[in-house]
Amino acid sequence: MSTLSRKALAIEVDHLTRQAGNADGILTILNDIHFTVEAGETLAITGASGSGKSTLLGLLAGLDTPSSGTVRLNGTDLYALNEDERAALRKRYIGFVFQSFQLLPHLNALENVMLPLELLRDADARPRAEAMLSRVGLAERLRHYPKYLSGGEQQRVALARAFVTAPPMLFADEPTGSLDAQTGEAVIRLMFELNQERHSTLILVTHDLQIAARCNRRIEIRAGEMVPHAG
């Protein structure tokens, strides 16, 4: 499997289509989507609720299977791999930030952030996780379980978990959707700071055009079709 190069295209989406059957026949969720993302670029995917933008993010990560078309990560066809190979690629190269945080409730903040490092058999999992939590301002909350953390704190744990392995790519799906405006602004600012520090490629799904404007470029998904925007 090739490694992701920061001097090449990070993502190539080639005529990607996703359809699903329903009671009325075939529903086209995404139709003929095609674009590229350079390594180190920040790209916002915008669109109304139900437009297909989260489905697109799932396809980019290999979490779903397209009806036709392909996604290439640094030249590697994601859908030429089997499920185990795609999972191995995600573990090594992609960090995720979700709207609903997706923290494991039976693990404390430190354990949640250590987990991806432990899956990579990193001998320095604990000190690296502690340093990352300190970087996001949670050095005093290492032993707290998610239910004892505020929404903003949970999302900062999720950011720490996503960035702790220094992945070449970060995928964020409505990362401020569950937060109030002030907390969401703090989380977004932190996410972009971390992304710039690590020179990673950021793919951000959001309905907030002010957040999207912070990215180098954006595309809009409208009723399953792609509408490009300049900047």
Side-chain angles (χ1 to χ4, degrees):
M1 185 182 299
S2 61
T3 57
L4 293 174
S5 168
R6 290 191 172 90
K7 296 182 180 180
L9 291 175
I11 301 175
E12 299 170 84
V13 179
D14 188 11
H15 299 290
L16 200 65
T17 295
R18 180 70 171 91
Q19 296 177 319
N22 62 16
D24 298 320
I26 300 297
L27 173 67
T28 299
I29 303 169
L30 293 169
N31 183 45
D32 197 31
I33 305 296
H34 51 91
F35 61 90
T36 60
V37 183
E38 294 181 357
E41 187 177 10
T42 56
L43 174 71
I45 300 172
T46 65
S49 178
S51 61
K53 58 187 186 295
S54 292
T55 298
L56 175 57
L57 194 69
L59 289 169
L60 298 183
L63 294 170
D64 194 5
T65 304
S67 302
S68 62
T70 192
V71 175
R72 287 185 291 273
L73 300 184
N74 197 40
T76 299
D77 185 344
L78 192 58
Y79 292 99
L81 308 176
N82 62 36
E83 288 188 16
D84 288 342
E85 290 169 333
R86 290 199 297 270
L89 182 144
R90 283 194 297 272
K91 185 167 65 175
R92 177 64 64 177
Y93 296 126
I94 299 174
F96 288 91
V97 182
F98 299 96
Q99 175 178 341
S100 56
F101 318 135
Q102 298 288 343
L103 300 179
L104 296 178
H106 61 285
L107 300 181
N108 63 32
L110 179 60
E111 292 165 341
N112 266 284
V113 178
M114 286 175 59
L115 183 60
L117 293 168
E118 292 174 332
L119 292 173
L120 294 173
R121 302 184 185 279
D122 190 317
D124 296 319
R126 181 174 294 273
R128 287 184 65 184
E130 289 175 345
M132 194 69 233
L133 282 165
S134 179
R135 174 64 183 81
V136 301
L138 293 175
E140 306 301 318
R141 309 286 275 173
L142 303 182
R143 304 289 186 264
H144 287 70
Y145 289 87
K147 67 180 179 179
Y148 298 115
L149 298 172
S150 69
E153 288 171 333
Q154 289 185 60
Q155 192 60 292
R156 281 189 281 158
V157 173
L159 282 178
R161 181 183 59 188
F163 278 104
V164 74
T165 60
M169 294 185 186
L170 180 75
F171 290 174
D173 191 1
E174 297 281 10
T176 63
S178 299
L179 306 176
D180 62 74
Q182 183 176 358
T183 304
E185 167 60 26
V187 164
I188 284 292
R189 185 168 57 247
L190 178 60
M191 184 176 72
F192 276 94
E193 287 175 1
L194 290 169
N195 196 67
Q196 290 172 2
E197 288 173 12
R198 286 155 177 77
H199 308 290
S200 51
T201 303
L202 172 64
I203 309 296
L204 171 65
V205 166
T206 183
H207 65 277
D208 189 325
L209 296 185
Q210 290 185 324
I211 294 175
R214 301 187 187 196
C215 293
N216 301 134
R217 184 164 56 96
R218 80 176 172 103
I219 61 173
E220 180 183 355
I221 302 299
R222 189 182 301 164
E225 304 275 351
M226 190 182 81
V227 182
H229 290 260

